[in-house]
């Protein structure tokens, strides 16, 4: 449908931050279990993104955008299938008791993050701005994944394949945004970028809050609780052992309830 872009054009897609994090990404992807989990998660994100694009094609009044959204939705559906199939073939050789990696939620999801979007309430320009920012981010991340994946040529090939589609998505969304909103496309893009940044901050902040909560509860359990246990034990040691005689004024016949 669309001619694949030459590989050299996908080389400068990654942002400096993603390039800086390349060793972290390499470490994450090198582990087979983590790779399976990430691929499954990507598969889900891409398929969800495809569904949101179908909804966007339904609600837009622009015939050209409708056609492009439908092509885009089919691409995302295909990406989801590619990720899931690769995860399934890796899973066949993985141990059954693989545990999810606890740091998974810290780093932004590698896909498009369209799940945060209420498609029905977006106008054409805000939708295109959000899509462009999300596609650019996905292309940047996928370019780094492809580059660090020398140890798994099959998965690397999938990222390389998908990257070509992401470049098309990134470019058409910007071209269409300029077409539908020639005056206000820059503010729309900045709004989409800031909204994405805010969501990234919330994601990191909630993960950090989880870690801080765990540290505080652990300190309470091992430092504060033993102190209370020691005080209770000391008070208990001062109590006389066995039956205690009741004072005569309290030791009357049980003729009434109190
Ligand atoms: Fe995709
Ligand atoms: Fe995409």
């Amino acid at each position: 449908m669309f001619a694949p872009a030459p590989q050299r054009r996908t080389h400068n897609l990654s942002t400096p931050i993603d390039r800086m994090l390349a060793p972290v990404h390499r470490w994450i992807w090198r582990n087979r279990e983590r790779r399976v989990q990430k691929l499954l998660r990507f598969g889900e994100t891409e398929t969800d993104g495809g569904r949101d694009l179908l909804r966007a094609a339904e609600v837009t009044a622009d015939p050209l955008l409708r056609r492009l959204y439908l092509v885009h939705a089919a691409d995302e559906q295909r990406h989801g299938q590619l990720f899931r199939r690769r995860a399934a073939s890796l899973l066949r050789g993985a141990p059954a008791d693989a545990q999810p990696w606890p740091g998974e939620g810290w780093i932004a999801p590698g896909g498009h993050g369209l799940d945060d979007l209420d498609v029905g309430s977006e106008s054409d320009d805000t939708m295109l701005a959000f899509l462009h920012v999300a596609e650019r981010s996905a292309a940047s991340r996928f370019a780094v994944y492809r580059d660090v994946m020398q140890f798994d040529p099959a998965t690397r090939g999938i990222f390389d394949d998908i990257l070509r589609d992401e470049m098309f998505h990134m470019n058409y969304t910007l071209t269409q945004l300029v077409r539908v909103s020639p005056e206000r496309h820059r503010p729309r893009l900045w709004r989409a970028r800031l909204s994405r940044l805010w969501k990234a901050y919330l994601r990191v902040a909630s993960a950090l809050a989880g870690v801080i909560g765990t540290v505080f509860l652990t300190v309470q359990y091992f430092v504060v609780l033993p102190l209370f246990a020691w005080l209770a034990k000391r008070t208990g040691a001062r109590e006389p052992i066995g039956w205690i005689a009741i004072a005569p004024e309290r030791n009357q016949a049980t003729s009434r309830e109190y």
Side-chain angles (χ1 to χ4, degrees), residues 46 76 79 112 162 166:
E46 297 280 317
E76 301 303 353
H79 300 170
H112 307 71
I162 289 176
E166 304 303 4

Side-chain angles (χ1 to χ4, degrees), residues 104-200:
E104 181 68 26
W106 282 68
I107 297 180
H112 307 71
L114 296 181
D115 50 322
D116 295 334
L117 194 64
D118 179 10
V119 176
S121 65
E122 299 291 334
S123 58
D124 282 343
D125 55 353
T126 56
M127 179 73 194
L128 284 164
F130 184 91
L131 279 174
H132 174 70
V133 172
E135 294 294 334
R136 181 177 277 278
S137 163
S140 161
R141 197 58 74 77
F142 287 176
V144 172
Y145 294 162
R146 189 235 5 230
D147 293 344
V148 301
M149 204 74 70
Q150 292 95 345
F151 45 85
D152 183 348
T155 308
R156 186 175 205 223
I158 288 171
F159 278 116
D160 197 37
D161 177 6
I162 289 176
L163 202 48
R164 293 161 206 271
D165 286 345
E166 304 303 4
M167 279 185 69
F168 163 65
H169 301 159
M170 197 177 94
N171 293 333
Y172 98 79
T173 44
L174 183 60
T175 311
Q176 294 305 313
L177 175 61
V178 175
R179 178 180 69 84
V180 300
S181 183
E183 306 289 330
R184 296 189 53 77
H185 66 276
R186 283 182 208 284
R188 291 281 180 261
L189 282 173
W190 275 110
R191 192 164 159 252
R193 282 183 197 121
L194 288 175
S195 151
R196 205 174 161 84
L197 210 64
W198 174 245
K199 280 166 191 160

Side-chain angles (χ1 to χ4, degrees), residues 36-92:
V36 170
Q37 287 158 20
K38 280 188 83 75
L39 286 168
L40 286 172
R41 199 167 158 207
F42 283 6
E44 203 179 313
T45 311
E46 297 280 317
T47 308
D48 283 351
R51 273 196 287 271
D52 285 336
L53 283 155
L54 284 179
R55 175 79 183 125
E58 264 177 9
V59 298
T60 183
D62 186 313
L64 176 58
L65 283 186
R66 186 172 302 124
R67 280 202 301 277
L68 286 163
Y69 286 159
L70 287 174
V71 171
H72 192 161
D75 285 346
E76 301 303 353
Q77 184 68 28
R78 188 179 77 88
H79 300 170
Q81 277 178 0
L82 285 171
F83 282 134
R84 277 195 302 276
R85 279 184 196 151
R86 181 65 195 137
S89 69
L90 282 171
L91 203 56
R92 279 192 275 274

